[in-house]
Amino acid sequence: MRWFTREHQVLMTAVHTAATAGYDEHVWQLAWTLNDFLYKQGHWRDRITTYLAALSAAQRLGDRAARIAAHHGLAGAYLRLGADADAEAHLRAELDLLREHGDRVAQARAHLGLAQLMDRRTRHDAAREH
């Protein structure tokens, strides 16, 4: 964690540089690598920046697993910032990809996120559906 803290800005620059240079594989891998650090330190805006780049890279690569991870990372950051509409959009996109993929455990995680979001919005009937 100390190393990530010291190198935080360098790593963010590396994500941007990789995205700009078209190193799509590196972009989503850097996002995945930074995930725990950004989460534990509450760097929600950096997590959004990183995962938006990762999502674009994953879409260009046609990598479903990387797209799922990016949507999940974005949803979590948007939830923390109270950007409910953005969080919901990414949770639904994640869930759609997970249905195609057949990962029922991860689907349950996405449903839980949607249920919590609906509950927070006092949409209890929608929360129960999830």
Side-chain angles (χ1 to χ4, degrees):
M1 289 301 284
R2 280 183 275 171
W3 181 84
F4 277 103
T5 300
R6 275 193 320 269
E7 302 299 332
H8 177 190
Q9 290 309 311
V10 172
L11 292 163
M12 294 303 297
T13 300
V15 171
H16 174 75
T17 301
T20 303
Y23 293 113
D24 292 331
E25 194 95 14
H26 293 84
V27 173
W28 77 257
Q29 290 173 349
L30 281 165
W32 182 83
T33 301
L34 286 166
N35 182 64
D36 287 351
F37 167 73
L38 295 174
Y39 179 84
K40 288 178 181 180
Q41 298 300 309
H43 294 299
W44 307 120
R45 296 200 188 288
D46 284 346
R47 193 171 182 203
I48 290 168
T49 298
T50 300
Y51 272 116
L52 284 173
L55 181 58
S56 293
Q59 288 169 329
R60 285 189 297 274
L61 290 168
D63 188 325
R64 181 177 26 212
R67 287 172 56 206
I68 290 167
H71 283 299
H72 183 74
L74 285 163
Y78 283 126
L79 280 169
R80 294 293 183 150
L81 290 173
D84 291 355
D86 291 321
E88 182 178 357
H90 286 286
L91 282 166
R92 291 189 183 282
E94 176 188 10
L95 187 56
D96 288 344
L97 290 167
L98 288 166
R99 284 184 183 128
E100 293 172 17
H101 188 60
D103 185 337
R104 298 188 50 82
V105 172
Q107 285 177 48
R109 180 188 67 213
H111 278 295
L112 178 60
L114 284 164
Q116 290 170 332
L117 177 60
M118 294 302 128
D119 185 59
R120 183 163 84 187
R121 292 170 144 180
T122 64
R123 293 180 51 202
H124 303 297
D125 289 340
R128 273 190 296 280
E129 289 176 25
H130 291 285

